[in-house]
């Protein structure tokens, strides 16, 4: 049993993912499997309430792992992200016509989510100019250089992974597991953060906090996965 | 060319040679593939600041197996370490660094490079490649671009071509190309062969390169062994 300091935002993974509806758009943190909210993803798969999801995430995990599990269980209709080749199941689902894919350059994806979270409807960027991914987009020249118009991205729900929360919901991250998680926390109507540990408010240094609590609606404890030999694996014993 | 070397040795050769190009104080992004071997081939006290698109400045070499931590990875999703003074930030801050023009050198792989230096490194017509990653952001905004590639494609076609037949990654040009047999500079839209590996001949390179290239008057032999590069390199 994992000891947890009580927080008003704390819910079980089951309670948290009940808020996700059929057809919702979901921002999902992670770069490959690093910084992935594994417990929440597994719970969505098992609960099997919400299907036809649009997943906005850099990748779709790996074959059978992380978002790869949610793909194989048939819950994803569309994936929006920068790199899906590393999950062969995603490539096959796409070629069978079972998965819609929208490819966005990684920096454009990150900035579109940042804009979505910051109340910026759209922005211009040089990334993608002259490429097939930029084809058909509105173009404008600034300072003599061509730019493309890109709209901000928001989603109904964000599920993210942090290392530690305090009881208010302030978040800190661990090493490069930070990646897309902080920016995704800003760009959804409902933000669910999966953490390893919750401490009392005041125990995190203000300068250390990366995501302020006002962005976070629900905290869920990762009680399913542990790090063994540097890799996350499912705990062998069901949590008590 | 380099027929006696296996693909892994050729990749290491390329990474070693590129490590020599990087100078103290440079901020260098390492892309997916061969570039994310380079952190293991820099000299001690190299002073180069390696940036990784997933939110890291100050990437260090691969840790020993028993110190792997999959919460600390490169763009290729392999375990790495932190150098003293390293910093970690979000993907949006990382791409602000990239797109804001704060990267001195982007080292990236490519599927094709045209003789003018145009880069195709995200898609092959007719193949299921569903990934672009940070390639277009780097091509649009890095100050300079260095290409780390195998000389030929997997089906033995030239990667250095007159014009791209694969989709381009942007409208800016690479400055250098290094493969297992050669080091090429691209200046004023012209490829200039500057170094050739000791186990390659000019005839071989000409026969397997579609792009037009000139041979530098002072063509040099590419240092390919740790010994030829000076001590202290892995």
């Amino acid at each position: 049993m994992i000891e947890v300091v009580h927080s008003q935002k704390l819910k079980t993974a089951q309670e948290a993912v009940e808020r996700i509806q059929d057809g919702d758009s979901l921002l999902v943190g992670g770069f490959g499997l690093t910084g992935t909210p594994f417990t929440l993803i597994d719970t969505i798969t098992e609960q099997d309430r919400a299907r036809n999801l649009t997943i906005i995430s850099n990748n779709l995990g790996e074959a059978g792992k992380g978002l790869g599990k949610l793909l194989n269980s048939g819950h994803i209709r569309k994936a929006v992200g920068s790199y899906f080749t590393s999950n062969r199941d995603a490539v096959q689902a796409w070629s069978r016509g079972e998965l819609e894919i929208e490819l966005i350059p990684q920096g454009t994806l990150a900035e579109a989510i940042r804009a979505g979270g910051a109340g910026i409807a759209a922005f211009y960027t040089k990334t993608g100019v002259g490429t097939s991914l930029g084809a058909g987009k509105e173009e404008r020249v600034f300072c003599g250089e061509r730019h493309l118009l890109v709209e901000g991205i928001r989603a109904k729900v964000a599920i993210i992974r942090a290392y530690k929360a305090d009881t208010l919901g302030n978040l800190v991250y661990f090493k490069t597991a930070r990646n897309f998680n902080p920016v995704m926390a800003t760009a959804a109507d409902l933000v669910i953060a999966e953490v390893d540990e919750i401490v009392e408010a005041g125990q995190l240094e203000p300068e250390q906090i990366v995501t302020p609590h006002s962005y976070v609606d629900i905290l869920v404890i990762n009680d399913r996965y542990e790090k063994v030999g540097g890799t996350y694996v499912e705990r062998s014993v069901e949590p008590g | 060319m380099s027929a006696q070397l296996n693909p892994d040795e050729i990749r290491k050769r390329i990474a070693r040679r590129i490590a020599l190009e990087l100078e103290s104080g440079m901020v260098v992004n390492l892309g997916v593939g061969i570039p994310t071997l380079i952190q293991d081939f820099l000299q001690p006290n190299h002073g180069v600041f390696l940036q990784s698109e997933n939110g890291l400045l100050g990437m260090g070499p691969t840790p020993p197996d028993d110190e792997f931590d999959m919460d600390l990875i490169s763009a290729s999703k392999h375990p790495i370490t932190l150098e003293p003074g390293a910093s970690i930030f979000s993907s949006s801050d990382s791409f602000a660094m990239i797109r804001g023009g704060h990267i001195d050198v982007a080292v990236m792989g490519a599927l094709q490079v045209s003789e003018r230096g145009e880069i195709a490194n995200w898609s092959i017509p007719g193949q299921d490649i569903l990934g672009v990653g940070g390639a277009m952001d780097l091509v649009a905004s890095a100050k300079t671009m260095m290409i780390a590639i195998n000389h030929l494609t997997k089906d033995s076609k030239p990667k250095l071509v007159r014009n791209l037949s694969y989709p381009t990654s942007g409208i800016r040009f690479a400055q250098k190309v290094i493969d297992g047999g050669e080091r090429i500079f691209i200046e004023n839209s012209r490829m200039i062969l500057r170094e050739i590996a000791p186990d390659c001949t000019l005839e071989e390179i000409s026969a397997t390169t579609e792009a037009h290239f000139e041979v530098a008057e002072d063509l040099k032999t590419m240092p390919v062994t740790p010994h030829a590069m000076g001590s202290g390199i892995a």
Side-chain angles (χ1 to χ4, degrees), chain A residues 34 82 106 108 176 227 230 232, chain B residues 69-71 99 132-133 137:
Chain A
T34 299
S82 88
Q106 192 175 175
T108 297
T176 55
K227 217 151 90 171
Y232 286 92
Chain B
D69 179 358
M70 291 310 289
D71 280 328
R99 291 149 69 106
V132 60
D137 303 289

Side-chain angles (χ1 to χ4, degrees), chain A residues 17 38-51 53 66-75:
Chain A
V17 306
F38 288 112
T39 297
L40 288 166
I41 291 169
D42 285 7
T43 308
I44 297 169
T45 304
E46 289 161 13
Q47 211 171 61
D48 196 22
R49 293 176 79 249
R51 290 184 166 258
L53 299 172
L67 284 169
K69 211 180 239 191
L70 193 64
L71 172 72
N72 292 354
S73 61
H75 291 82

Side-chain angles (χ1 to χ4, degrees), chain A residues 146-165:
Chain A
R146 294 162 65 192
H147 289 71
L148 299 177
L149 182 70
V150 177
E151 290 185 21
I153 291 176
R154 285 187 62 86
K156 180 103 177 291
V157 183
I159 60 172
I160 63 167
R161 162 86 173 137
Y163 164 49
K164 202 188 272 190

Side-chain angles (χ1 to χ4, degrees), chain B residues 16 19-20 39-46 225-234:
Chain B
R16 262 195 210 105
L20 292 181
Q39 68 273 14
D40 293 335
F41 294 105
L42 289 164
Q43 296 268 14
N45 306 314
H46 52 76
T225 62
H227 179 71
M229 294 174 179
S231 61
I233 298 181

Side-chain angles (χ1 to χ4, degrees), chain B residues 15-86:
Chain B
R16 262 195 210 105
R17 183 61 192 89
I18 290 182
L20 292 181
E21 301 278 328
L22 307 179
E23 294 167 19
S24 179
M26 284 179 169
V27 174
V28 179
N29 174 282
L30 299 185
V32 174
I34 296 171
T36 43
L37 302 174
I38 291 170
Q39 68 273 14
D40 293 335
F41 294 105
L42 289 164
Q43 296 268 14
N45 306 314
H46 52 76
V48 177
F49 301 114
L50 298 178
Q51 202 262 10
S52 191
E53 65 182 18
N54 50 320
L56 167 61
L57 180 63
M59 178 164 59
T62 306
D65 286 359
D66 59 351
E67 289 172 29
F68 275 19
D69 179 358
M70 291 310 289
D71 280 328
L72 184 57
I73 59 166
S74 69
S76 290
K77 305 182 177 90
H78 297 150
I80 40 94
T81 49
L82 298 173
E83 292 284 347

Side-chain angles (χ1 to χ4, degrees), chain A residues 31-32 34 82-85 91 94 101 103 106-108 125 127 130-132 174-177 179-180 227 230 232, chain B residues 53 68-73 75 77 88-92 95 99 122 128 130-134 136-137 168-170:
Chain A
F31 181 88
T34 299
S82 88
Y83 202 85
F84 300 110
T85 314
V91 176
W94 173 80
I101 280 185
L103 211 52
Q106 192 175 175
T108 297
T125 178
T127 297
T131 73
S132 59
F174 190 65
K175 298 188 177 169
T176 55
N179 57 60
F180 280 90
K227 217 151 90 171
Y232 286 92
Chain B
E53 65 182 18
F68 275 19
D69 179 358
M70 291 310 289
D71 280 328
L72 184 57
I73 59 166
K77 305 182 177 90
I88 289 174
F89 32 86
S90 72
S91 300
S92 53
F95 279 93
R99 291 149 69 106
W122 69 282
D128 296 343
L130 302 173
V132 60
M136 288 186 184
D137 303 289
T168 186
S169 299

Side-chain angles (χ1 to χ4, degrees), chain B residues 1-11 13 180 197 199 224:
Chain B
M1 176 188 313
S2 313
Q4 72 278 25
L5 292 180
N6 68 38
D8 189 49
E9 286 171 321
I10 292 174
R11 286 160 61 85
R13 170 191 281 197
D199 48 3
V224 295

